[in-house]
Amino acid sequence: MSRLELYSPEGLRVDGRRWNELRRFDCRINTHPQSADGSSYVEQGNTKVICMVSGPKEPSNKSQQNSSGAVIEFNVSIASFSTTNRKKRSKNEKRTIELNTTLERTFEQSIIRKLYPRTTISVNLHVLAQDGGLLAALTNASTLALIDAGISMYDYISGISAGLHDISPLLDLNTLEESGMSFLTIGVVGNSEKLSLLLLEDKIPLDNLEDLLAIAIAGSHRIRDLMDQEVRRHANLRASKLVK
Amino acid sequence: MILSPAERSYLYDSLAKDELIRPDARADYQFRPIEVKTSFLPSSNGSARVRLTDGSEIITSIKSKVVLAAEEKSLIECDIDIPGFRDDSNFVANLKYNMTSLLNKSFPFESLKLTSKYAFKLFIDCVVISYSSFPLTFISIACYLALKSTKLPKLISDVNDEETAEQPLFSDDWENAQYLGDLNDSKSFNPPLIIVIGVVGKNLLFDPSAEEEQVLENGIIISWYNNDISTPIHNLNFSVHSNMPNYKGLSQQMIMKSILMARKHCANIVKALDQAIEEQTDDGVIF
């Protein structure tokens, strides 16, 4: 099979983007006001994720209680129709469990847990469509839904993926690109350069890692700004409805 | 919300009266308002989202695949996913059984036939994002809307391939894709629906809410296809949150009465759904 040209000599990618361009990023906050304490919807290219947060609430199981801080549970469910070829996924698939653990570890650091002792915060994520950058989209959706639920956090966590094609770093990969090169996903804390999440499942030469992280951090900051815009838009909308 | 014995008794009395009074002032045949959106998943042939005012929400996707018709048991496969429930739990298995038997009994399968050998197979996947009352009606409404908005690619090769070993060929242009309903041009395409009816005393209530469910004496499900009653018809315990303390047997008259009531009002439900589809804008946005 002839290999698809992922990055042309002219510097264009399969979907016509340049190396440092993000896909269309669209996010909504408070999409499910009736059924969850906090909710959000994120589209990163063709990846679509719904997130619903419930809590802080009393844990259903006494043994899950922690008197020093909130217990955070993630539950990612990937719809069987999310990929081009339909595939039925079991709920205990290793990949999904890994996503849950990664997200739990990330958000345990960014939520101010000590403010909610003896409670559970559960985050339900529904993946409706996936086209690369799944973990990044899940991270962004969770951040927005947690903000919507009014849960205290130190800062935004914005996620993005970046891959290395030969020696050139590419930002925000789609499925085609993900299958053709090694890539990493990062979660950046606010506008800083601190990483709270880094997932690299294959090999990247150490010399190129710095370039790759630099472009990924720049991309994350852009995502953070877009999410911040949406949060402020929604907050203004709510404030305008308050009775003065 | 689980009702207290006093609340339950009050609600039961108001629903069992000759002139029944429902908590949200609905008539006995009235549904709760729903919000509908279709065709928002680009990688599916059809998709629909149904949301109720109480926050219940269902997303349905329809994907298709070309198969050798002789090798398939059924050309429709339906699957239901409810977060927090195992796929083999009673609740999910029951919903799935009802939807599968509804679709297998009342569906115009001839419209899925492509050539003499090949056919489309439809995979219907429902994700129940959240629910408060028994979700079967809304699952079937989401399926109805998704099937109505399903588009399949246009066949350009010969329909008669009995002798040739050729596989079906489709038009490259997605603009030529046809609605599932237009493939079978002889009559109008109306997918089946399931209506959930609650029984309280001598009264029947369409679409009981979560609170009403707790005082029901029994529940009936009735199917509707091509302007008439269809199967499955049976009685069911709808309890989702409580164990229906008033649950008891069902008299024959109530079954007849519910069929008559469904005959009278289901056509209007279908009309309302069709109107909702016509009002859809083709922007591909989910919310």
Short mmCIF file of all heavy atoms in Angstrom, two decimals, chain A residues 159-195:
data_model
loop_
_atom_site.label_atom_id
_atom_site.label_comp_id
_atom_site.label_asym_id
_atom_site.label_seq_id
_atom_site.Cartn_x
_atom_site.Cartn_y
_atom_site.Cartn_z
N GLY A 159 -5.96 20.74 26.83
CA GLY A 159 -5.23 19.62 26.24
C GLY A 159 -5.08 19.77 24.74
O GLY A 159 -5.92 20.35 24.07
N ILE A 160 -4.01 19.23 24.22
CA ILE A 160 -3.79 19.23 22.77
C ILE A 160 -2.82 18.09 22.45
O ILE A 160 -2.04 17.68 23.30
CB ILE A 160 -3.21 20.59 22.29
CG1 ILE A 160 -3.38 20.76 20.79
CG2 ILE A 160 -1.76 20.76 22.68
CD1 ILE A 160 -4.79 21.01 20.36
N SER A 161 -2.89 17.58 21.22
CA SER A 161 -1.91 16.57 20.82
C SER A 161 -0.98 17.16 19.77
O SER A 161 -1.36 18.10 19.06
CB SER A 161 -2.63 15.34 20.26
OG SER A 161 -3.29 15.69 19.08
N ALA A 162 0.22 16.65 19.72
CA ALA A 162 1.17 17.07 18.70
C ALA A 162 2.01 15.87 18.31
O ALA A 162 2.32 15.03 19.15
CB ALA A 162 2.06 18.19 19.23
N GLY A 163 2.36 15.80 17.02
CA GLY A 163 3.12 14.64 16.55
C GLY A 163 4.37 15.08 15.83
O GLY A 163 4.54 16.26 15.49
N LEU A 164 5.23 14.11 15.60
CA LEU A 164 6.49 14.41 14.93
C LEU A 164 6.53 13.68 13.59
O LEU A 164 6.51 12.46 13.55
CB LEU A 164 7.67 13.96 15.81
CG LEU A 164 9.03 14.41 15.31
CD1 LEU A 164 9.19 15.90 15.48
CD2 LEU A 164 10.11 13.66 16.06
N HIS A 165 6.57 14.46 12.50
CA HIS A 165 6.67 13.87 11.17
C HIS A 165 8.09 14.12 10.69
O HIS A 165 8.45 15.28 10.41
CB HIS A 165 5.65 14.52 10.24
CG HIS A 165 5.64 13.89 8.88
ND1 HIS A 165 6.34 14.40 7.85
CD2 HIS A 165 5.02 12.79 8.43
CE1 HIS A 165 6.15 13.64 6.78
NE2 HIS A 165 5.35 12.65 7.11
N ASP A 166 8.88 13.07 10.58
CA ASP A 166 10.31 13.21 10.28
C ASP A 166 10.95 14.14 11.31
O ASP A 166 11.14 13.75 12.44
CB ASP A 166 10.48 13.70 8.84
CG ASP A 166 11.91 13.48 8.35
OD1 ASP A 166 12.64 12.76 9.07
OD2 ASP A 166 12.29 14.02 7.30
N ILE A 167 11.25 15.39 10.92
CA ILE A 167 11.78 16.28 11.96
C ILE A 167 10.85 17.46 12.24
O ILE A 167 11.14 18.30 13.06
CB ILE A 167 13.19 16.82 11.60
CG1 ILE A 167 13.16 17.48 10.22
CG2 ILE A 167 14.24 15.73 11.71
CD1 ILE A 167 14.26 18.47 10.02
N SER A 168 9.72 17.50 11.49
CA SER A 168 8.85 18.66 11.72
C SER A 168 7.71 18.31 12.66
O SER A 168 7.02 17.31 12.46
CB SER A 168 8.32 19.17 10.38
OG SER A 168 7.89 18.09 9.63
N PRO A 169 7.51 19.13 13.69
CA PRO A 169 6.40 18.90 14.61
C PRO A 169 5.09 19.35 13.97
O PRO A 169 5.06 20.34 13.25
CB PRO A 169 6.76 19.77 15.83
CG PRO A 169 7.67 20.81 15.33
CD PRO A 169 8.34 20.29 14.09
N LEU A 170 4.01 18.59 14.20
CA LEU A 170 2.70 18.97 13.68
C LEU A 170 1.73 19.07 14.86
O LEU A 170 1.73 18.23 15.75
CB LEU A 170 2.18 17.92 12.69
CG LEU A 170 3.04 17.61 11.48
CD1 LEU A 170 2.37 16.54 10.63
CD2 LEU A 170 3.29 18.85 10.65
N LEU A 171 0.87 20.08 14.82
CA LEU A 171 -0.04 20.34 15.94
C LEU A 171 -1.41 19.72 15.67
O LEU A 171 -1.89 19.75 14.53
CB LEU A 171 -0.15 21.86 16.14
CG LEU A 171 -0.91 22.33 17.38
CD1 LEU A 171 -0.20 21.90 18.64
CD2 LEU A 171 -1.06 23.84 17.36
N ASP A 172 -2.05 19.22 16.71
CA ASP A 172 -3.45 18.78 16.68
C ASP A 172 -3.73 17.78 15.55
O ASP A 172 -4.30 18.13 14.52
CB ASP A 172 -4.37 20.01 16.53
CG ASP A 172 -5.81 19.69 16.91
OD1 ASP A 172 -6.06 18.60 17.43
OD2 ASP A 172 -6.67 20.55 16.66
N LEU A 173 -3.34 16.53 15.77
CA LEU A 173 -3.43 15.52 14.71
C LEU A 173 -4.84 14.95 14.57
O LEU A 173 -5.57 14.85 15.54
CB LEU A 173 -2.48 14.36 15.04
CG LEU A 173 -1.04 14.72 15.36
CD1 LEU A 173 -0.23 13.45 15.57
CD2 LEU A 173 -0.43 15.55 14.25
N ASN A 174 -5.19 14.55 13.34
CA ASN A 174 -6.44 13.80 13.15
C ASN A 174 -6.10 12.30 13.08
O ASN A 174 -4.94 11.92 13.16
CB ASN A 174 -7.20 14.29 11.92
CG ASN A 174 -6.41 14.14 10.64
OD1 ASN A 174 -5.56 13.27 10.54
ND2 ASN A 174 -6.69 15.00 9.67
N THR A 175 -7.13 11.47 12.92
CA THR A 175 -6.90 10.02 12.99
C THR A 175 -5.85 9.54 12.00
O THR A 175 -4.97 8.75 12.33
CB THR A 175 -8.20 9.26 12.71
OG1 THR A 175 -9.17 9.73 13.62
CG2 THR A 175 -8.03 7.77 12.93
N LEU A 176 -5.94 10.06 10.77
CA LEU A 176 -5.00 9.63 9.72
C LEU A 176 -3.57 9.93 10.14
O LEU A 176 -2.68 9.09 10.01
CB LEU A 176 -5.30 10.41 8.44
CG LEU A 176 -6.21 9.76 7.43
CD1 LEU A 176 -6.41 10.69 6.26
CD2 LEU A 176 -5.60 8.44 6.97
N GLU A 177 -3.37 11.13 10.66
CA GLU A 177 -2.02 11.52 11.06
C GLU A 177 -1.57 10.74 12.29
O GLU A 177 -0.41 10.36 12.39
CB GLU A 177 -1.99 13.03 11.34
CG GLU A 177 -2.15 13.86 10.08
CD GLU A 177 -2.36 15.34 10.37
OE1 GLU A 177 -2.97 15.68 11.39
OE2 GLU A 177 -1.91 16.15 9.55
N GLU A 178 -2.51 10.50 13.21
CA GLU A 178 -2.16 9.76 14.42
C GLU A 178 -1.67 8.36 14.10
O GLU A 178 -0.79 7.84 14.77
CB GLU A 178 -3.36 9.66 15.36
CG GLU A 178 -3.45 10.78 16.34
CD GLU A 178 -4.56 10.60 17.35
OE1 GLU A 178 -5.25 9.56 17.33
OE2 GLU A 178 -4.77 11.52 18.16
N SER A 179 -2.27 7.76 13.05
CA SER A 179 -1.86 6.39 12.73
C SER A 179 -0.54 6.37 11.98
O SER A 179 0.07 5.31 11.84
CB SER A 179 -2.95 5.71 11.91
OG SER A 179 -3.17 6.45 10.75
N GLY A 180 -0.08 7.52 11.51
CA GLY A 180 1.12 7.53 10.70
C GLY A 180 2.36 8.08 11.37
O GLY A 180 3.43 8.10 10.78
N MET A 181 2.25 8.58 12.59
CA MET A 181 3.44 9.14 13.24
C MET A 181 3.32 9.02 14.75
O MET A 181 2.24 8.74 15.27
CB MET A 181 3.63 10.60 12.84
CG MET A 181 2.53 11.54 13.30
SD MET A 181 2.76 13.21 12.69
CE MET A 181 2.05 13.10 11.07
N SER A 182 4.44 9.20 15.44
CA SER A 182 4.38 9.14 16.91
C SER A 182 3.96 10.51 17.43
O SER A 182 4.33 11.54 16.88
CB SER A 182 5.71 8.70 17.49
OG SER A 182 6.72 9.57 17.07
N PHE A 183 3.15 10.49 18.46
CA PHE A 183 2.60 11.76 18.95
C PHE A 183 2.44 11.73 20.47
O PHE A 183 2.47 10.68 21.08
CB PHE A 183 1.25 12.04 18.29
CG PHE A 183 0.16 11.10 18.70
CD1 PHE A 183 -0.76 11.45 19.68
CD2 PHE A 183 0.06 9.85 18.11
CE1 PHE A 183 -1.76 10.57 20.07
CE2 PHE A 183 -0.94 8.97 18.50
CZ PHE A 183 -1.85 9.33 19.46
N LEU A 184 2.31 12.91 21.04
CA LEU A 184 2.07 13.01 22.48
C LEU A 184 0.87 13.92 22.73
O LEU A 184 0.49 14.72 21.88
CB LEU A 184 3.31 13.51 23.21
CG LEU A 184 4.04 14.76 22.74
CD1 LEU A 184 3.32 16.02 23.12
CD2 LEU A 184 5.43 14.78 23.34
N THR A 185 0.25 13.74 23.89
CA THR A 185 -0.86 14.60 24.29
C THR A 185 -0.44 15.29 25.57
O THR A 185 0.08 14.65 26.48
CB THR A 185 -2.12 13.77 24.55
OG1 THR A 185 -2.43 13.03 23.38
CG2 THR A 185 -3.29 14.65 24.91
N ILE A 186 -0.65 16.60 25.64
CA ILE A 186 -0.30 17.28 26.89
C ILE A 186 -1.51 18.02 27.44
O ILE A 186 -2.46 18.33 26.72
CB ILE A 186 0.86 18.30 26.71
CG1 ILE A 186 0.49 19.39 25.71
CG2 ILE A 186 2.13 17.61 26.32
CD1 ILE A 186 1.37 20.60 25.79
N GLY A 187 -1.48 18.29 28.73
CA GLY A 187 -2.47 19.16 29.37
C GLY A 187 -1.70 20.25 30.08
O GLY A 187 -0.83 19.96 30.89
N VAL A 188 -1.98 21.50 29.72
CA VAL A 188 -1.23 22.63 30.26
C VAL A 188 -2.07 23.33 31.31
O VAL A 188 -3.28 23.49 31.15
CB VAL A 188 -0.84 23.61 29.12
CG1 VAL A 188 -0.10 24.81 29.67
CG2 VAL A 188 -0.01 22.90 28.10
N VAL A 189 -1.43 23.76 32.39
CA VAL A 189 -2.13 24.49 33.45
C VAL A 189 -2.23 25.95 33.06
O VAL A 189 -1.21 26.65 33.00
CB VAL A 189 -1.38 24.35 34.79
CG1 VAL A 189 -2.16 25.03 35.90
CG2 VAL A 189 -1.14 22.90 35.10
N GLY A 190 -3.42 26.42 32.77
CA GLY A 190 -3.67 27.84 32.49
C GLY A 190 -2.75 28.42 31.44
O GLY A 190 -2.48 27.79 30.42
N ASN A 191 -2.26 29.63 31.71
CA ASN A 191 -1.37 30.28 30.77
C ASN A 191 0.09 30.05 31.08
O ASN A 191 0.96 30.68 30.50
CB ASN A 191 -1.66 31.79 30.75
CG ASN A 191 -2.59 32.15 29.60
OD1 ASN A 191 -2.60 31.45 28.58
ND2 ASN A 191 -3.35 33.19 29.74
N SER A 192 0.32 29.11 32.02
CA SER A 192 1.71 28.86 32.39
C SER A 192 2.31 27.85 31.41
O SER A 192 1.68 27.47 30.43
CB SER A 192 1.76 28.27 33.80
OG SER A 192 1.23 26.97 33.76
N GLU A 193 3.54 27.46 31.66
CA GLU A 193 4.13 26.41 30.84
C GLU A 193 4.24 25.12 31.64
O GLU A 193 5.05 24.26 31.33
CB GLU A 193 5.48 26.87 30.31
CG GLU A 193 5.34 28.11 29.44
CD GLU A 193 6.46 28.30 28.45
OE1 GLU A 193 7.55 27.78 28.70
OE2 GLU A 193 6.23 28.98 27.44
N LYS A 194 3.44 25.02 32.68
CA LYS A 194 3.46 23.80 33.51
C LYS A 194 2.55 22.75 32.88
O LYS A 194 1.44 23.06 32.46
CB LYS A 194 2.95 24.12 34.92
CG LYS A 194 3.91 24.87 35.78
CD LYS A 194 3.30 24.97 37.17
CE LYS A 194 3.76 26.22 37.88
NZ LYS A 194 2.75 26.76 38.76
N LEU A 195 3.05 21.52 32.86
CA LEU A 195 2.24 20.44 32.32
C LEU A 195 1.64 19.65 33.47
O LEU A 195 2.34 19.31 34.42
CB LEU A 195 3.10 19.50 31.47
CG LEU A 195 3.82 20.10 30.28
CD1 LEU A 195 4.44 18.98 29.46
CD2 LEU A 195 2.87 20.88 29.42
#
